[in-house]
Amino acid sequence: MPQTRFDLWPRAILHVDLDAFYASVEALDFPELKGKPLIVGGLPGGRGVVSTASYEARRFGVHSAMPSVTAARLCPNAVWRVPRMDRYLEKSREVRAVFERYTDLLEPLSLDEAFLDVTGSQRLFGPPETIGRRIQDEIQAETGLSASVGVAENKFLAKIASDLRKPRGFVVVPRDPAGLRALLDPLPVARLWGVGPKMAERLETLGVRTVGQLAVADRAFLGRRIGEEMTGHLLNLAHGRDDRPVDTGDRPKSIGRENTFVKDLRDREAMERELLGFADEVSARLRAKGLKAFGVTLKVRLGDFTTFTRAETFDEPTDLAEPLFAAGCRMLRSRVDCRGQGVRLLGLTATRLVTPGEWTPGLFRDEGAEKRRRAAEAVDRLRDRFGEDAVTRGRLLQDGEQTTGTPNDRLVE
Ligand code: TTP
Ligand code: MG
């Protein structure tokens, strides 16, 4: 059941990072290793380095990227294993399958770490912390691995949070300014994205060692010492601001559909019927990808191959068929002069795509739109189960110049 008895977060990001990943997989597959100081990496005889160590081995000072020889000296009783990458990849896929139940908007950073944008998942699954807990529990139950989770309004804070109480950490970054400051202030500046050892040292000579000190530092003073750009970046982070989107890596720039007709269309009604079909399909694909469009373009090619493209911008981004269809019809009617010719090709494309996390102001405010969205989602589910033709609008079923389905049908992405 959808839950609504809580404040929806305008933006909700999770960062999930598995604990001592390679070592945990080894202990899972070879239970006799459980609870022992365990090091995964090149064996100490050679010139190898440590990939990772169990938390038991970390107590001796062993850490990733340390020469294995050094690790063996620090922790002489450690059990050693060489990495088995294909097994780790397999486990990583199992973890990803858990993520995918909650959102499509995920950005893997490595085999054991990912950002998830769950802004749009709240209606269905509840508040972000509930979603985070469920993911943590399901990873444990289904893959046998332990994960740490950070819940926040942006990527930077979520990543900081997941690391605060490892292993098996679960930290929700407070959304009130005092709570946020209490969490950020004590952190060393080296924890900030973009601050390497050199910059940390530089900042320290300027009297800035912690994020709290950075947050109250004088912008002009810092700007003169470390540059305006770096200063702007660091002050944003020090105030917990970060608007980078969760990058799925495969987000299309646009989603569209076009069709060249066997016989040029002359009848306005037939053209609009095509546009309605396109709008239906394009909006379903937007919803499937969790995207909304700020813009729509119409493409029209006349019998003599003259081609027009026309564009409109929406006040609020949409993933529904109606606005796309209405804009297409409007542009066709008032902004394209067919000069008495037939139309050889029509196309409708949703552009300027955004995720719910990037677009928040109007989110869920319009109840009517929310109802239409739910209806549209029900249609999507039917289509998934019974195929494309399961649900077709009345208008599309009319006979007449039914010209879709030619080999020229093209998906444009
Ligand atoms: P991390 O997430 O950095 O480390 P971890 O999962 O072992 O431990 P934790 O997150 O609890 O601190 O890296 C994930 C895996 O990537 C790690 O298990 C092994 C591998 N790795 C290397 O091979 N070399 C490295 O230098 C690092 C940092 C990681
Ligand atoms: Mg990890």
Side-chain angles (χ1 to χ4, degrees), residues 17-21 112 166:
D17 188 312
L18 302 177
D19 302 320
F21 179 43
D112 89 322
K166 260 180 170 293

Side-chain angles (χ1 to χ4, degrees), residues 82-119:
V82 291
R84 294 180 299 145
M85 290 311 298
D86 46 346
R87 179 66 178 137
Y88 308 147
L89 184 62
E90 207 169 80
K91 294 307 279 182
S92 174
R93 292 212 175 107
E94 289 176 26
V95 172
R96 188 182 169 123
V98 174
F99 295 158
E100 282 171 349
R101 278 175 216 156
Y102 294 92
T103 181
D104 290 337
L105 297 177
L106 59 102
E107 176 180 350
L109 297 174
S110 68
L111 284 187
D112 89 322
E113 190 187 346
F115 286 115
L116 287 72
D117 184 331
V118 295
T119 310

Side-chain angles (χ1 to χ4, degrees), residues 17-22 50-52 55 58 64-65 112 166:
D17 188 312
L18 302 177
D19 302 320
F21 179 43
Y22 295 2
V50 172
S51 299
T52 195
Y55 278 79
R58 289 184 199 193
S64 295
D112 89 322
K166 260 180 170 293

Side-chain angles (χ1 to χ4, degrees), residues 52-80:
T52 195
S54 66
Y55 278 79
E56 290 81 359
R58 289 184 199 193
R59 269 185 228 122
F60 295 84
V62 178
H63 59 76
S64 295
M66 169 182 276
S68 298
V69 184
T70 313
R73 202 172 56 234
L74 288 172
C75 187
N77 294 326
V79 185
W80 287 76

